[in-house]
Amino acid sequence: EYKVICATRTYAEQAALYRKGRDLPGPKVTNALPGYSMHNFGLAIDMGVFQNGKYLDDESPAKADGFHRIVAAIAKNEGLRWGGDFKSITDTPHFELDTPLSLAELRHRKETGSPLLA
């Protein structure tokens, strides 16, 4: 099964993820502070690969990576950016809308209640 495991995040949820691997236990999972992730604007999803109820991204990362790469080839043709192409942290389960708007513009639009897509 290939399914969404994370979509929109609040700034508080983003802050908690950012703390992992810094002042909370575990590996770093993001370099994005609140307001600097496309998840904060509902423009990103993280996908998970599951087999017999087991999350393969943890159980068998190489197998899961293969699925993410197949989907990434399709997603990129449909106007999405793939986290596997990121330079700072490779994030193969991550897909986001390839919008021309900067994060600063998205933050401004969110703060003013303006449409995020226009």
Side-chain angles (χ1 to χ4, degrees):
E1 292 181 87
Y2 198 70
K3 57 186 175 181
V4 176
I5 57 172
C6 180
T8 304
R9 287 188 202 127
T10 65
Y11 281 19
E13 290 168 328
Q14 190 68 37
L17 279 179
Y18 183 80
R19 292 180 61 204
K20 286 186 178 182
R22 292 174 175 86
D23 60 341
L24 291 177
K28 286 183 182 177
V29 294
T30 184
N31 282 333
L33 288 163
Y36 289 81
S37 169
M38 296 298 268
H39 286 283
N40 298 143
F41 309 102
L43 301 176
I45 58 172
D46 291 335
M47 301 298 293
V49 182
F50 295 83
Q51 185 174 29
N52 300 322
K54 292 186 179 180
Y55 181 53
L56 292 188
D57 292 77
D58 287 341
E59 296 281 325
S60 181
K63 189 173 185 180
D65 186 63
F67 281 93
H68 295 308
R69 289 180 183 284
I70 290 167
V71 173
I74 298 165
K76 288 192 247 184
N77 285 333
E78 297 300 324
L80 298 177
R81 282 189 290 247
W82 178 47
D85 292 331
F86 291 174
K87 302 296 182 227
S88 61
I89 286 183
T90 302
D91 190 0
T92 58
H94 178 93
F95 298 88
E96 65 185 38
L97 186 64
D98 190 4
T99 174
L101 301 176
S102 68
L103 285 167
E105 178 64 21
L106 288 169
R107 286 191 302 275
H108 173 74
R109 287 179 179 217
K110 183 177 175 114
E111 291 163 8
T112 60
S114 301
L116 296 177
L117 300 175

